[in-house]
């Protein structure tokens, strides 16, 4: 049984757009959520990490981004416990504050929205499904920027988006619950790039752990 899905996003950009000023950054959400981690188990109207602003949605309405401990990571929570504090670091806490406690991953109708500026190139995203049955079938799918991708550890597919237009993307439930375990991205100095380089800026996304077949919605 494979419990992890890995997406690698490679930039289709001019070499001049990255240049010598590029900085590679990784945020491990599972580690952040752990007891003693930087954030602990916590709930956020907007979770800001480095250059990324992350929000949770349910059926298109803003809810909460949730950091879940215990081999979890980043998910979505629709309701908090009555005693829960939102947008508060809880580095020493591993106690659930979502109501119900099972609603802390990305499930039916839920979406994680990643917003970032034009000086960001996302290069790597890893998912897990440790609290459920794991990713073990080509029938399992996750939606990325409105396109469905088969979960298949042996396969890969590609996706691209012009970040000069979107400056972000959504990752949404299709038919398999999941957490985002960690994300890696580059930052670079937009002011140092030429106009033609910015016009060519885009992202290519290779899903290692996702199926070869691209499924049209």
């Amino acid at each position: 049984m494979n419990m992890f899905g890995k997406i690698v996003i490679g930039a289709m950009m001019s070499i001049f757009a990255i240049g010598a000023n590029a900085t590679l950054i990784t945020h491990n959400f599972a580690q952040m959520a752990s007891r003693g981690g930087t954030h602990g188990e916590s709930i956020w109207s907007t979770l800001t990490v480095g250059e990324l602003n992350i929000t949770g949605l349910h059926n298109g309405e803003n809810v909460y981004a949730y950091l879940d401990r215990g081999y979890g990571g980043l998910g979505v929570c629709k309701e908090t416990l009555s005693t829960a504090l939102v947008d508060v670091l809880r580095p020493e806490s591993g106690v659930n504050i979502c109501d119900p406690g099972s609603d802390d991953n990305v499930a039916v109708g839920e979406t994680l929205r990643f917003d970032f500026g034009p000086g960001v190139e996302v290069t790597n995203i890893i998912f897990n499904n440790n609290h459920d049955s794991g990713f073990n079938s080509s029938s399992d799918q996750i939606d990325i920027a409105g396109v469905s991708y088969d979960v298949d550890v042996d396969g890969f597919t590609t996706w691209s988006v012009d970040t000069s237009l979107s400056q972000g993307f959504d990752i949404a439930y299709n038919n398999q619950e999941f957490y985002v375990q960690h994300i890696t991205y580059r930052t670079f100095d937009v002011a140092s790039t030429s106009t033609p380089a910015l016009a060519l800026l885009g992202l290519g996304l290779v899903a290692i752990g996702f199926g070869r077949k691209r499924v049209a919605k």
Side-chain angles (χ1 to χ4, degrees), residues 8-213:
V8 177
I9 309 173
M12 298 184 299
M13 61 170 60
S14 165
I15 189 171
F16 302 107
I18 299 178
N21 295 323
T23 302
L24 195 65
I25 298 169
T26 295
H27 299 294
N28 187 325
F29 298 115
Q31 187 176 66
M32 289 163 56
S34 65
R35 187 167 187 171
T38 55
H39 289 60
E41 183 142 346
S42 51
I43 192 165
W44 303 85
S45 54
T46 299
L47 176 62
T48 299
V49 288
E51 302 295 324
L52 307 181
N53 294 312
I54 305 163
T55 52
L57 297 95
H58 176 250
N59 293 335
E61 300 293 327
N62 286 342
V63 285
Y64 301 103
Y66 194 87
L67 289 169
D68 186 46
R69 68 168 178 163
Y71 304 103
L74 180 62
V76 174
C77 175
K78 293 187 286 294
E79 298 288 342
T80 70
L81 294 175
S82 59
T83 56
L85 297 177
V86 178
D87 298 332
V88 174
L89 293 170
R90 305 172 74 237
E92 297 306 318
S93 177
V95 177
N96 169 70
I97 53 175
C98 184
D99 186 17
S102 59
D103 182 33
D104 55 18
N105 53 9
V106 181
V108 177
E110 296 180 343
T111 299
L112 282 169
R113 176 160 294 166
F114 291 79
D115 292 312
F116 46 82
V120 171
E121 174 208 351
V122 178
T123 61
N124 190 342
I125 304 174
I126 292 181
F127 300 94
N128 76 59
N129 192 27
N130 286 320
H131 289 186
D132 295 287
S133 59
F135 300 133
N136 62 357
S137 171
S138 61
S139 66
D140 293 340
Q141 296 179 343
I142 292 177
D143 289 353
I144 304 167
V147 178
S148 299
Y149 292 86
D150 289 342
V151 177
D152 183 344
V153 68
D154 297 320
F156 68 94
T157 188
T158 60
W159 169 75
S160 65
V161 61
D162 183 353
T163 56
S164 66
L165 298 177
S166 68
Q167 296 184 19
F169 58 91
D170 291 348
I171 303 175
Y173 175 90
N174 181 298
N175 65 358
Q176 178 60 267
E177 298 179 354
F178 63 91
Y179 296 92
V180 176
Q181 181 173 308
H182 80 249
I183 189 168
T184 299
Y185 60 90
R186 291 188 183 95
T187 62
F188 56 92
D189 185 1
V190 175
S192 69
T193 65
S194 65
T195 300
L198 287 177
L200 293 172
L201 181 60
L203 294 180
L205 197 156
V206 177
I208 302 170
F210 281 71
R212 290 184 178 85
K213 183 176 68 175

